[in-house]
Amino acid sequence: QVHLVESGGGLVQTGASLRLSCAGSGGALSNYAMGWFRQAPGKEREFVAAISFSGISTFYADSVKGRFTISRDNSNSALYLQMNSLKPDDTAVYSCAARRDPLTSSTYMRESRYNYWGQGTQVTVSS
């Protein structure tokens, strides 16, 4: 059982940067592939980024490629999402998630394959 807690959200202007953190406890984070998802008001939750057990492989939604960077620090049981050039469309509650099975090209974006979830942190980008 792993417990995840996000932090780092806030209210920023268009073009600003934020770094989200996800702290894990209850198990070695290196035993899980990790992902970030977001949910905007009135919309379904969508995939943002994912990272493999070791951090070597990463995956991104087309909407954030070139702007967001996912990384992890297994020694500190932490997951990060560096967000640059933020846009109003990035406004959402961002949640981190962990999965026991390895990422694949067809499942890295499927939220049903992630076993543990944090409660989320709010990111609001004003125009």
Side-chain angles (χ1 to χ4, degrees):
Q1 185 77 28
V2 63
H3 180 64
L4 304 173
V5 179
E6 303 93 338
S7 63
L11 173 62
V12 298
Q13 295 180 323
T14 297
S17 297
L18 279 176
R19 188 193 191 202
L20 304 183
S21 297
C22 175
S25 63
L29 203 63
S30 61
N31 292 330
Y32 305 91
M34 304 293 295
W36 285 99
F37 292 78
R38 67 186 183 186
Q39 186 169 26
K43 298 182 179 180
E44 295 184 348
R45 185 157 55 189
E46 65 176 351
F47 167 79
V48 176
I51 189 167
S52 61
F53 298 104
S54 65
I56 295 177
S57 299
T58 57
F59 303 87
Y60 296 93
D62 289 341
S63 60
V64 306
K65 285 182 179 178
R67 298 189 298 121
F68 291 10
T69 302
I70 188 172
S71 62
R72 65 191 302 165
D73 181 357
N74 288 339
S75 64
N76 290 303
S77 296
L79 174 74
Y80 306 100
L81 184 67
Q82 178 65 46
M83 305 184 294
N84 298 326
S85 301
L86 284 164
K87 307 173 181 179
D89 285 348
D90 295 319
T91 295
V93 173
Y94 285 71
S95 301
C96 64
R99 57 186 282 173
R100 295 185 294 270
D101 58 318
L103 301 174
T104 68
S105 60
S106 61
T107 67
Y108 67 83
M109 77 296 286
R110 305 298 184 189
E111 61 182 88
S112 64
R113 299 297 294 271
Y114 290 78
N115 308 105
Y116 306 102
W117 294 80
Q119 294 190 28
T121 185
Q122 177 70 49
V123 172
T124 302
V125 185
S126 62
S127 59

